Amino acid sequence: MRSYLYVPGDQPDRLAKCLERGADFVILDLEDAVPTNRKQEGRDISGAWIAANSASAHKIWVRVNNSDDLVADLNAVITAPIAGLIFPKCENVEQLAALDLIISNIERKLGIPERSITVSALVETAEGILNAREIARAPRVSRMQIGEYDLKADMSVELGPDDKEFLYARSYVVLCSAAAGINPPIAPVGTDFKDLEAFRQSTIEHARMGYFGRTCIHPAQVAIVNEVFTPSVEALAEAQDMIDRYDAQGGGVLTDAKGRLLDEAVIRSARRVVNLGKSL
């Protein structure tokens, strides 16, 4: 679950190619990418495309509208057991409870296994950030994201070159996700798809902070995200060596090949790296 490529839900030509762009997942966007006067076209086109590509439904997410269009969006796009829904402008658990009920009704109607469709809560306001602890524990929520451009406007902040103004919000969502036992949050989009080096550096910074995976608005960004969140051969070998040494001793405290201290917490991180490598 490294890369998520946004695709406008009302553009058949781009939908036709999106599964071939190298992303682990695609996100059909019915919200910001679709003009108000084309919402119905977006629903019709996206729903038909998902139905036609049901064999790849496990790679498809949909960003719906958190508005009066929500029910229509859900009925249109849940034509197969898709991977999940991006729920934008998420501010509280009451919204998520209502969303859960609607999805459950559709799952039952279509014979889709209950709670198989998960939700990524996209928090984009100060209220959403402050409620992140409860949101992370809400029904169906498997991960979280921050909509930083909307949050910037809501907070009336101006970002400096190091984005330190968002340090608290970014770290808080990581903490809330870990405390709730859900997946790490997904890093936000980078809108300047021409400056790929800056995109790479910010992706690395988010990875260091505890994020895993990133949303992309252009196919050129996908390879960078996949690279950053894929353990290198050297990292995998080092992690496996730590595990082998630890298991051979039967636990306790010891040192690795470089003389560094190894304990249970270090080995837990090493196992995560090895398991990640096996899953890719």
Side-chain angles (χ1 to χ4, degrees):
M1 296 181 281
R2 302 164 299 178
S3 51
Y4 302 73
L5 177 63
Y6 270 109
V7 186
D10 65 337
Q11 298 187 22
D13 56 332
R14 294 180 65 175
L15 288 171
K17 302 175 182 178
C18 65
L19 290 171
E20 304 168 4
R21 298 298 193 181
D24 293 333
F25 297 93
V26 295
I27 302 174
L28 275 61
D29 191 6
L30 296 180
E31 195 207 20
D32 289 346
V34 178
T36 302
N37 63 354
R38 284 186 55 81
K39 293 296 185 183
Q40 187 57 51
E41 286 94 333
R43 284 190 283 269
D44 293 342
I45 292 168
S46 294
W49 184 84
I50 292 170
N53 290 273
S54 58
S56 299
H58 62 287
K59 295 187 64 175
I60 300 170
W61 288 74
V62 180
R63 181 162 72 169
V64 294
N65 291 277
N66 184 358
S67 67
D68 292 340
D69 288 318
L70 176 60
V71 175
D73 286 353
L74 296 175
N75 280 305
V77 302
I78 303 180
T79 56
I82 58 176
L85 298 162
I86 311 293
F87 187 59
K89 299 177 176 61
C90 182
E91 294 190 321
N92 53 62
V93 295
E94 289 78 15
Q95 292 175 325
L96 292 162
L99 177 65
D100 175 47
L101 288 175
I102 301 170
I103 299 173
S104 293
N105 288 334
I106 298 173
E107 287 174 335
R108 283 193 294 270
K109 182 174 67 176
L110 297 180
I112 296 174
E114 185 178 359
R115 293 284 175 88
S116 60
I117 297 175
T118 65
V119 170
S120 177
L122 179 56
V123 292
E124 306 182 74
T125 63
E127 181 179 357
I129 294 294
L130 293 177
N131 288 333
R133 185 174 184 181
E134 292 75 26
I135 289 171
R137 300 174 186 272
R140 295 185 186 269
V141 173
S142 60
R143 51 186 54 75
M144 298 182 69
Q145 302 168 249
I146 300 179
E148 294 193 346
Y149 290 93
D150 284 88
L151 181 62
K152 174 178 176 290
D154 191 54
M155 294 174 59
S156 299
V157 299
E158 290 297 329
L159 298 181
D162 56 4
D163 288 354
K164 67 179 181 181
E165 294 80 7
F166 273 167
L167 179 60
Y168 171 80
R170 290 173 178 174
S171 295
Y172 186 62
V173 170
V174 171
L175 285 169
C176 292
S177 298
I182 63 173
N183 293 300
I186 305 168
V189 297
T191 56
D192 186 355
F193 57 84
K194 294 183 178 180
D195 191 346
L196 294 179
E197 183 54 36
F199 182 78
R200 179 189 300 276
Q201 290 305 313
S202 66
T203 304
I204 291 171
E205 290 166 8
H206 275 88
R208 286 204 304 263
M209 291 187 68
Y211 285 74
F212 191 88
R214 188 167 193 180
T215 49
C216 305
I217 62 167
H218 193 280
Q221 297 172 327
V222 170
I224 293 173
V225 172
N226 287 344
E227 176 190 337
V228 170
F229 290 104
T230 300
S232 66
V233 173
E234 294 77 15
L236 286 170
E238 184 175 271
Q240 188 62 60
D241 178 69
M242 291 179 182
I243 294 169
D244 292 344
R245 289 170 181 267
Y246 189 80
D247 290 346
Q249 180 175 290
V253 178
L254 66 158
T255 57
D256 67 2
K258 298 180 180 180
R260 297 172 299 187
L261 187 69
L262 300 180
D263 61 10
E264 191 276 333
V266 174
I267 297 303
R268 190 163 66 243
S269 295
R271 294 191 196 280
R272 187 178 303 117
V273 171
V274 171
N275 289 336
L276 174 60
K278 293 177 179 178
S279 71
L280 299 175

